[in-house]
Amino acid sequence: VQLVESGGGLVQAGGSLRLSCAASGFYLQDYAIAWFRQAPGKEREGIACFSGSNNAKWYGDSMEGRFVISSNPAMNTVYLAMNSLKPEDTATYYCARVPFNFCPTGWPTAQGFDSWGQGTQVTVSS
């Protein structure tokens, strides 16, 4: 089982990025995948969760709107589109797998996720 994030980088405030989470060793339709972020000195935040079995999507508090989670089953990849980026969005972004085909209640706390990617850095300049 492996998750590999990519797509991070340096962007100006107001810009957009799309992060990718490429999964290997399992099929997305059998699991749920979530995106998290963590900035230095801050707690990890749950951004969005995607259920591969029914394409259901959940978003963390104040995340829906500027962040959009999606997937490409053919590529076994989950994406996170980020728009209208702000300096406070600067963080390392991670994707993670939950060992179910649905996003459990409380998923933003990252409890129960069994596999994590290495993270991709997003830096938003003002």
Side-chain angles (χ1 to χ4, degrees):
V1 173
Q2 190 175 22
L3 297 169
V4 179
E5 303 97 335
S6 61
L10 175 64
V11 63
Q12 287 188 334
S16 300
L17 282 175
R18 189 179 76 159
L19 306 183
S20 299
C21 173
S24 59
F26 67 97
Y27 292 112
L28 283 180
Q29 59 262 34
D30 296 330
Y31 294 91
I33 300 290
W35 282 97
F36 297 86
R37 69 182 182 184
Q38 189 163 23
K42 295 188 177 181
E43 293 188 355
R44 182 168 46 197
E45 293 182 279
I47 302 171
C49 189
F50 174 85
S51 168
S53 63
N54 61 6
N55 294 335
K57 304 172 185 179
W58 288 264
Y59 291 90
D61 292 343
S62 73
M63 296 297 180
E64 191 165 13
R66 294 193 302 120
F67 297 92
V68 179
I69 193 169
S70 64
S71 78
N72 183 335
M75 298 295 292
N76 219 36
T77 298
V78 175
Y79 303 99
L80 182 70
M82 308 187 296
N83 304 300
S84 302
L85 285 164
K86 305 173 183 179
E88 51 264 44
D89 294 318
T90 295
T92 302
Y93 285 70
Y94 301 89
C95 62
R97 186 187 81 165
V98 66
F100 311 111
N101 62 2
F102 60 91
C103 297
T105 302
W107 68 265
T109 65
Q111 296 296 319
F113 285 80
D114 66 351
S115 184
W116 290 78
Q118 82 290 348
T120 185
Q121 177 68 36
V122 172
T123 302
V124 184
S125 63
S126 57

